[in-house]
Amino acid sequence: MRLFKSKDKSEHSALTTLLSSNQQESDDPDTHSTDTSTATAVAPAPTEAPQAADLPVNTAPAAPATPVAAPVTDDSADTTGIAPLKQQMKDLAKQYQSLREQLQTKMFARRDAIKQQLREISANEKRINKQLAAIEAEQKQLTGTNDADLTAQQDQLSHEKDTLQKQIANLEQQVANIKKSISENDDAIAQNKQAQEQNEAKNAELAKEIKDEADLVAVVQLIEKNKDQVFSLRQQHDQLTKEATAFQEKGARLNDELTNTQDSLNETNHKMDANTKDSRQVVQRLEQAKRERHAQLNALKTRQKEATQQQQDIQTQYAAQQKALAAIQDDIQHVFNTDHLIRLFQLQKDHQYGVLTPDFSRDESSDMVAIFRYLEDHAQQPAIFISYAYDPHLANHVQDWAVKNQLHTPTVFNLFTELQKSAPNTAQQMTIPDNDHWRSEWNKDRSARDIYDGNKRLMHVVYQDTDHIARIDYYSENKLSKRSEFNEHGQLSRTLTYSEDGNVQQIDYYRIEGTLVLSFHYVDKQVDNIQMFDTNGLLYTVFNDLDDLAYWWLKAFWKQHPELMVIGRPEDTIFQQLAPDFVSQQLPYFPHVTSTPDAVQKQLKQHRWNQMLVATPTDQQALSKIADRDLAVDYVATADADTLPQALTLTATDQEAQ
């Protein structure tokens, strides 16, 4: 007789290994020998499973192995011994489920640890690659550096040196030429002076000859005879005097030119010295830059070699971790037939949890009771109730519901109640004054009163609570024309205006102090727009419909309560619309995972919820077949979960195969 389906043998084998180990540690072999043999007989031979030493510490508390002991039964009631075996099977199922969760948690924890190591290795590889790229860029920059500025300075200084050398040679030639001119001028001056002296000697000689002559006639003859010579000597004298002056001026000018040229030569020599000094410094800087680049390139080569070695080590580690990841994922797939972990989660201590429902009057189901009971058992803070349907007596209804189901009364937040709040609360209770022209008729339990005018036409129907008026219907020509509804304190809450054909035309909501806050306008029985007014009666904003208003209010409400986690139905359109902005503060509740897996899978793909609630442990296990990511899931157990796991359940096919 086969106890397991063939497709589940891998999971059974791995789990039976843990089951047998725990059973041997917790049971006394002498006392429970029958139980141990039973457990061993139930499970097939174990296959290779991951070693516990290689797995990280279990994140979930391990449930102790439950001894499989047959309960004491009445032999007269069960002579076949079937009841004890059924009880053992249930105990075994519980122990099996506990071991399955332990194994799953450990294997996925190992997988997550490998993934984290892969992420760290990838980050290190990116860092090393970035470092190598920087080293390569720095090497390229250093290799491409040619000291262009210094070379340009050197070329410029060399060009200046050539220019200065030419200037110096030119100036030196000019000095030599000037000195030669000065020497020639000095010679000319000396020659002029000698010519002047000769001229003066001739003049003196002629004068002496004339002076020594006593005969006047002879003097005249001498003068006449030497007239041309005298005139020539005179001209020569004037010419020599003029030349002497020119030579003197030229000598002075040449001396000035020599002085200026010598100064220019000295200045140019000074520039040449500075150029030589600058050239020497540039050459030194070029040599220093080359030495520094060489040292930097050597250092970069060393760093590059080290980084390359680290890169190779990282690639080796990455390949090893990838191999380990593939192995653990293969084991997980082989054992659990899934790639994603569906783990239990615990509610956060610093979070407040609330339940969102569009209309509480339509959602008093067992699921709602189970959710609030779950929050009472697991949450640290009292649960709250959030609704966006109009109900002026919602707080009382929730309180009665909580008492009926033995729950603590949650704090209630309602869209309309919150918008209708005001301070101070000065509105008076609605009363019907006495009027001699009216006639009233009460029903049997005096919960409603019809009021007629003097012509016996129906004017009002007043519905009475214990302490105050709850509603007033207004009639015109025997047709309902208006309805006023009052809150639990007898204050006006809203009015409904009807058309001739009996359809709602307008609904107005009032703050408790009496001012209008919301006005719903209808066209063809559908909301056309919703107007919101401030306390001064001025239009504040306009909404398209109730969903638009609810989305606006819930978004603001969520922002005011950043610690709030809201449990809602995924099919709630408002809950879906808020998911993109508040997915981390949402806790969707899926009540029918097993029966409608396709719908749940579609919701999970549309919204990136990573934690959720389901109804039963079976629903929690069913998520592993449709999930596309790891999920944190808890169940509220709204149905009887005391059933055998699928792997331990005999199917009709199995029974027929026996």
Side-chain angles (χ1 to χ4, degrees):
M1 174 177 168
R2 290 191 294 119
L3 295 180
F4 303 108
K5 299 178 185 178
S6 59
K7 66 179 182 180
D8 293 322
K9 286 183 179 180
S10 299
E11 180 179 349
H12 303 150
S13 301
L15 290 171
T16 303
T17 302
L18 286 175
L19 177 62
S20 302
S21 176
N22 285 7
Q23 189 76 24
Q24 293 172 4
E25 292 177 359
S26 59
D27 293 349
D28 187 342
D30 296 334
T31 307
H32 303 291
S33 59
T34 302
D35 298 335
T36 306
S37 62
T38 302
T40 306
V42 171
T47 57
E48 184 178 355
Q51 298 298 320
D54 296 332
L55 300 175
V57 179
N58 185 14
T59 56
T66 305
V68 183
V72 179
T73 59
D74 188 356
D75 293 339
S76 61
D78 184 11
T79 58
T80 61
I82 294 176
L85 291 176
K86 285 185 176 180
Q87 184 60 42
Q88 289 182 22
M89 196 67 174
K90 287 185 178 180
D91 293 341
L92 179 61
K94 292 180 180 179
Q95 186 177 3
Y96 170 89
Q97 186 63 29
S98 174
L99 292 174
R100 184 182 191 278
E101 291 177 357
Q102 291 181 47
L103 178 61
Q104 188 180 37
T105 301
K106 286 184 177 181
M107 293 182 75
F108 275 96
R110 174 60 178 163
R111 184 207 64 176
D112 292 344
I114 294 174
K115 284 186 174 181
Q116 179 61 29
Q117 290 176 355
L118 281 173
R119 286 191 290 269
E120 293 175 356
I121 292 172
S122 296
N124 288 334
E125 185 176 20
K126 289 181 180 179
R127 178 181 58 80
I128 292 298
N129 289 338
K130 187 176 180 181
Q131 184 178 348
L132 282 171
I135 291 173
E136 184 178 355
E138 195 170 352
Q139 285 177 330
K140 186 176 181 180
Q141 181 181 5
L142 287 173
T143 304
T145 301
N146 54 6
D147 301 317
D149 293 341
L150 293 175
T151 304
Q153 292 182 28
Q154 188 179 35
D155 293 341
Q156 183 180 0
L157 290 171
S158 178
H159 178 70
E160 290 178 356
K161 181 178 181 180
D162 293 340
T163 302
L164 290 172
Q165 286 177 340
K166 291 179 180 179
Q167 290 178 358
I168 290 173
N170 188 26
L171 289 172
E172 288 178 345
Q173 183 62 41
Q174 291 180 22
V175 168
N177 292 336
I178 292 172
K179 288 183 177 180
K180 181 179 179 182
S181 297
I182 290 174
S183 178
E184 291 176 350
N185 189 67
D186 289 342
D187 292 342
I189 290 173
Q191 292 176 0
N192 179 273
K193 184 178 181 181
Q194 183 178 3
Q196 285 183 356
E197 290 177 352
Q198 291 176 356
N199 181 272
E200 289 177 357
K202 289 180 178 180
N203 283 331
E205 182 180 353
L206 182 59
K208 182 178 180 182
E209 184 178 351
I210 293 172
K211 183 178 180 183
D212 291 340
E213 183 63 45
D215 187 358
L216 291 175
V217 175
V219 171
V220 172
Q221 289 177 347
L222 285 173
I223 293 174
E224 186 65 28
K225 178 183 178 183
N226 296 294
K227 178 177 65 174
D228 293 334
Q229 184 180 1
V230 171
F231 183 76
S232 175
L233 288 174
R234 186 60 189 176
Q235 284 183 335
Q236 185 181 16
H237 178 270
D238 293 340
Q239 180 65 30
L240 290 173
T241 303
K242 186 177 179 180
E243 287 180 357
T245 303
F247 287 144
Q248 292 295 333
E249 291 176 355
K250 182 179 180 181
R253 185 176 70 254
L254 289 173
N255 285 325
D256 291 339
E257 288 182 9
L258 179 61
T259 301
N260 294 332
T261 304
Q262 191 65 48
D263 291 341
S264 298
L265 180 60
N266 294 336
E267 182 179 356
T268 305
N269 284 325
H270 179 72
K271 289 181 179 180
M272 178 62 76
D273 294 340
N275 179 278
T276 302
K277 181 179 179 181
D278 291 342
S279 297
R280 190 182 302 112
Q281 291 178 350
V282 169
V283 170
Q284 292 175 352
R285 289 166 62 187
L286 279 170
E287 292 176 353
Q288 179 65 23
K290 290 179 181 179
R291 287 194 296 271
E292 290 178 355
R293 278 200 305 276
H294 183 71
Q296 290 175 1
L297 285 172
N298 289 337
L300 287 174
K301 287 181 180 179
T302 302
R303 287 171 53 193
Q304 187 179 37
K305 183 177 179 180
E306 294 174 352
T308 302
Q309 183 61 45
Q310 292 180 20
Q311 185 186 46
Q312 294 174 355
D313 294 342
I314 287 174
Q315 290 173 347
T316 302
Q317 295 175 14
Y318 191 84
Q321 291 299 330
Q322 276 190 320
K323 185 176 180 180
L325 178 62
I328 192 68
Q329 286 180 332
D330 183 66
D331 288 342
I332 291 172
Q333 183 64 233
H334 187 64
V335 175
F336 298 104
N337 195 28
T338 182
D339 292 326
H340 304 288
L341 173 62
I342 309 300
R343 58 163 69 96
L344 285 170
F345 75 94
Q346 294 182 348
L347 302 184
Q348 298 293 326
K349 294 182 180 180
D350 57 343
H351 284 175
Q352 189 172 24
Y353 291 85
V355 180
L356 174 66
T357 177
D359 189 354
F360 176 69
S361 62
R362 300 179 184 177
D363 197 5
E364 298 182 26
S365 61
S366 59
D367 284 332
M368 183 69 71
V369 175
I371 290 173
F372 274 94
R373 187 163 287 133
Y374 168 83
L375 291 177
E376 286 189 3
D377 294 339
H378 296 85
Q380 302 291 325
Q381 303 183 40
I384 65 175
F385 181 89
I386 308 168
S387 172
Y388 54 88
Y390 176 75
D391 185 353
H393 307 290
L394 179 62
N396 292 334
H397 294 162
V398 173
Q399 183 177 9
D400 295 341
W401 170 81
V403 172
K404 174 184 175 182
N405 293 283
Q406 299 180 345
L407 296 169
H408 293 97
T409 303
T411 304
V412 177
F413 289 95
N414 175 261
L415 181 154
F416 292 94
T417 303
E418 295 301 311
L419 293 180
Q420 289 179 296
K421 284 181 179 180
S422 63
N425 182 3
T426 57
Q428 300 296 321
Q429 284 190 4
M430 180 65 181
T431 59
I432 303 296
D434 295 332
N435 191 310
D436 295 337
H437 301 287
W438 291 354
R439 183 173 61 83
S440 301
E441 293 182 1
W442 290 90
N443 63 358
K444 291 182 180 181
D445 59 0
R446 297 186 68 82
S447 61
R449 180 169 57 139
D450 298 341
I451 300 178
Y452 300 86
D453 63 7
N455 296 322
K456 298 182 180 181
R457 288 177 299 193
L458 181 62
M459 297 174 56
H460 312 129
V461 176
V462 181
Y463 297 89
Q464 191 83 23
D465 281 346
T466 304
D467 300 323
H468 54 78
I469 294 174
R471 191 180 87 196
I472 300 177
D473 290 345
Y474 299 86
Y475 289 85
S476 176
E477 302 298 334
N478 292 324
K479 292 183 179 180
L480 181 63
S481 61
K482 183 178 179 180
R483 173 175 291 167
S484 296
E485 297 178 351
F486 303 89
N487 62 20
E488 58 189 3
H489 303 295
Q491 301 162 323
L492 180 63
S493 179
R494 73 172 179 174
T495 61
L496 295 84
T497 304
Y498 297 89
S499 61
E500 289 289 334
D501 55 5
N503 294 323
V504 175
Q505 281 186 321
Q506 184 171 327
I507 303 178
D508 295 328
Y509 295 84
Y510 298 87
R511 297 183 182 88
I512 56 178
E513 98 283 19
T515 59
L516 178 65
V517 59
L518 292 172
S519 182
F520 286 60
H521 298 269
Y522 289 78
V523 174
D524 296 332
K525 301 181 183 180
Q526 299 293 330
V527 175
D528 181 65
N529 66 82
I530 302 173
Q531 298 177 353
M532 177 181 285
F533 300 88
D534 62 16
T535 55
N536 296 317
L538 297 176
L539 182 64
Y540 177 73
T541 189
V542 178
F543 301 98
N544 295 323
D545 50 30
L546 179 58
D547 284 355
D548 194 15
L549 171 63
Y551 175 82
W552 172 83
W553 177 74
L554 285 170
K555 186 175 182 180
F557 183 80
W558 236 320
K559 288 183 177 180
Q560 293 173 359
H561 300 80
E563 76 290 347
L564 178 63
M565 291 287 294
V566 177
I567 301 171
R569 298 292 182 94
E571 62 269 18
D572 183 353
T573 56
I574 306 302
F575 193 76
Q576 291 181 20
Q577 290 180 33
L578 290 166
D581 295 329
F582 300 97
V583 67
S584 62
Q585 293 177 253
Q586 288 186 335
L587 195 57
Y589 172 66
F590 292 91
H592 307 298
V593 179
T594 306
S595 58
T596 59
D598 293 340
V600 176
Q601 187 178 41
K602 182 179 179 181
Q603 290 285 355
L604 291 177
K605 289 182 178 179
Q606 289 178 346
H607 307 289
R608 302 306 297 176
W609 291 308
N610 292 318
Q611 56 183 5
M612 60 194 64
L613 293 176
V614 296
T616 66
T618 304
D619 288 333
Q620 183 200 28
Q621 293 182 24
L623 281 173
S624 63
K625 299 179 181 179
I626 62 176
D628 61 351
R629 58 189 179 275
D630 292 354
L631 297 173
V633 183
D634 203 356
Y635 51 85
V636 298
T638 57
D640 184 13
D642 189 18
T643 57
L644 293 177
Q646 184 179 5
L648 296 180
T649 305
L650 287 172
T651 64
T653 304
D654 291 330
Q655 292 174 347
E656 292 172 359
Q658 308 305 317

